[in-house]
Amino acid sequence: MRRNDAESCSIAQYTKKLFFAAKLDELDKRIRVGAVSYLNTRPLLYGLKRSGLMERIELMEEYPSRIAAMLLNDEIDVGLVPVAIIPQLAESHIITDYCIGAEGEVASVALFSEVPIEQVTKVLLDYQSRTSVSLARLLLKEYWKKEVILEDTKEDFRSAIKGTTAGIVIGDRALEQRSVSPFIYDLGAAWKAHTGLPFVFAAWIANKALGDDFEDAFNRANAYGVTHIDEVVAENNFAVYDLKKYYTENISYQLDAQKKEGMALFLKKLNLF
């Protein structure tokens, strides 16, 4: 091989290495997004997955408390996380006008029991959400005025909901549990009855500033999904519960002034609790 050919080959290899290094660097700079892997997030993710943002983000789906831990540990930059973790973050930014909220009955966060709540002696706490557990503790004390044994769980505990032992169950499993337990005490409805305000279970929270352009695009992606509920329902086969009702009557996605007021009250009570 002549010297010029060797030099050309060397330059080509060097350029190729630079190209791949740049690509790797680009991947490293993708914004890490964590989302809850429940049915209630599907409208928000529907819009996100159909937006140009998928080229700019790395999306991970997990249950709520796991996403919360990832945000606290800076393993992700933004997450759809239980709002109870906000006080634990050194820096927090709510980056969209959308949330997982409820104006009343939420259907998928409830205390389930075989007996009326007056007869309950123990409550098993779902390990998958800090906000729902904190809300349950607060409502048991302030609203139902019940002193019970509270027991944390680490795995699916629904088979242990029997006799005077009740359980706080959230998410898709709660929708399934509705056809099992004869007594259902909805936490969204109880909070509304107790305070007169709606409740926010989770919001898109960042642990650092992500830039106005990203936040605007992320917000518009959320809005797109929420306005295409029929398409979301068609994509998700779930015979246990009417998803159209769930997305339009139980879950309320708009993070409006009333929900922000409800969220502020919850965080204030949580600080005193």
Side-chain angles (χ1 to χ4, degrees), residues 8-272:
S8 297
C9 182
S10 178
I11 291 171
Q13 289 176 337
Y14 179 67
T15 303
K16 188 176 182 180
K17 286 181 180 179
L18 284 178
F19 173 79
F20 284 113
K23 283 295 181 184
L24 287 172
D25 187 53
E26 181 183 322
L27 286 173
D28 288 341
K29 290 181 180 178
R30 285 188 176 186
I31 294 175
R32 301 164 299 171
V33 178
V36 176
S37 56
Y38 291 160
L39 284 166
N40 57 23
T41 66
R42 300 294 167 80
L44 302 178
L45 295 182
Y46 181 90
L48 186 60
K49 291 178 178 180
R50 284 159 180 77
S51 71
L53 282 172
M54 292 305 293
E55 297 178 0
R56 298 174 58 187
I57 69 173
E58 179 186 353
L59 181 63
M60 291 158 274
E61 296 182 50
E62 269 286 358
Y63 57 82
S65 60
R66 175 61 187 139
I67 294 295
M70 293 170 74
L71 189 67
L72 287 167
N73 295 329
D74 201 30
E75 296 171 24
I76 56 176
D77 305 302
V78 59
L80 186 58
V81 295
V83 298
I85 76 158
I86 291 175
Q88 300 174 50
L89 290 163
E91 182 179 351
S92 64
H93 307 268
I94 295 178
I95 68 164
T96 76
D97 299 323
Y98 298 90
C99 67
I100 304 297
E103 300 281 353
E105 184 179 5
V106 68
S108 56
V109 183
L111 183 149
F112 295 92
S113 176
E114 287 187 344
V115 298
I117 195 167
E118 293 79 14
Q119 299 175 27
V120 170
T121 58
K122 180 192 289 188
V123 176
L124 305 174
L125 303 173
D126 199 322
Y127 65 94
Q128 293 197 8
S129 173
R130 297 179 183 183
T131 291
S132 298
V133 165
S134 297
L135 177 60
R137 289 177 182 270
L138 191 154
L139 289 171
L140 282 164
K141 180 180 180 181
E142 292 189 2
Y143 180 62
W144 288 304
K145 302 186 185 304
K146 282 284 296 180
E147 289 189 12
V148 296
I149 298 168
L150 298 173
E151 185 175 302
D152 293 327
T153 62
K154 294 183 179 179
E155 55 187 21
D156 194 356
F157 54 90
R158 286 176 291 169
S159 62
I161 298 174
K162 54 188 176 183
T164 60
T165 296
I168 300 297
V169 187
I170 70 166
D172 305 350
R173 295 169 307 144
L175 297 177
E176 295 168 354
Q177 191 68 24
R178 295 179 69 86
S179 62
V180 177
S181 296
F183 292 91
I184 304 170
Y185 297 91
D186 188 284
L187 298 197
W191 171 262
K192 184 66 178 286
H194 183 47
T195 67
L197 292 168
F199 192 79
V200 177
F201 290 92
W204 287 110
I205 299 171
N207 57 14
K208 56 182 70 68
L210 299 176
D212 292 342
D213 62 330
F214 177 82
E215 292 186 14
D216 178 64
F218 204 91
N219 198 53
R220 285 187 283 108
N222 277 213
Y224 182 86
V226 170
T227 56
H228 288 77
I229 294 297
D230 287 339
E231 291 89 333
V232 177
V233 172
E235 273 194 358
N236 294 278
N237 182 24
F238 192 71
V240 174
Y241 194 83
D242 183 347
L243 288 184
K244 181 68 177 288
K245 176 183 178 181
Y246 187 48
Y247 293 142
T248 59
E249 297 180 28
N250 298 129
I251 303 297
S252 180
Y253 290 101
Q254 193 75 36
L255 185 57
D256 56 20
Q258 279 273 293
K259 288 201 188 68
K260 289 178 180 178
E261 185 179 349
M263 182 170 62
L265 178 61
F266 172 66
L267 294 175
K268 179 181 179 180
K269 285 179 173 291
L270 200 60
N271 188 50
L272 300 172

